[in-house]
Amino acid sequence: MYVCLCEAITDKQIRDVAKKYQVTSLKGLRQILPVGRECGKCLKQAREILDEECAIL
Ligand code: FES
């Protein structure tokens, strides 16, 4: 499912980055993926997905 339509980033990409790079913050995620770079509407959902992934790690 697409989370960020502007940059065509999926929830799977966010989960994969969180796992691979042990990313726990939105700031860290954004250093790897350009999520939220345009309109920013996706940031809340990106944060929720990251939090879910961190809970699993
Ligand atoms: Fe992510 Fe617009 S939907 S920046």
Side-chain angles (χ1 to χ4, degrees):
M1 154 189 94
Y2 280 106
V3 173
C4 179
L5 294 177
C6 297
E7 298 290 340
I9 294 169
T10 64
D11 63 324
K12 183 174 186 312
Q13 283 175 283
I14 293 173
R15 290 180 201 284
D16 287 350
V17 164
K19 273 187 225 146
K20 186 172 177 188
Y21 299 99
Q22 304 277 299
V23 169
T24 56
S25 70
L26 206 49
K27 188 178 174 196
L29 179 68
R30 294 180 75 189
Q31 287 173 353
I32 300 166
L33 286 175
V35 64
R37 195 167 64 182
E38 298 294 327
C39 73
K41 286 182 185 168
C42 54
L43 288 174
K44 184 172 180 283
Q45 193 178 5
R47 167 89 257 169
E48 287 168 3
I49 291 166
L50 198 54
D51 286 348
E52 276 175 31
E53 214 47 52
C54 290
I56 295 167
L57 291 176

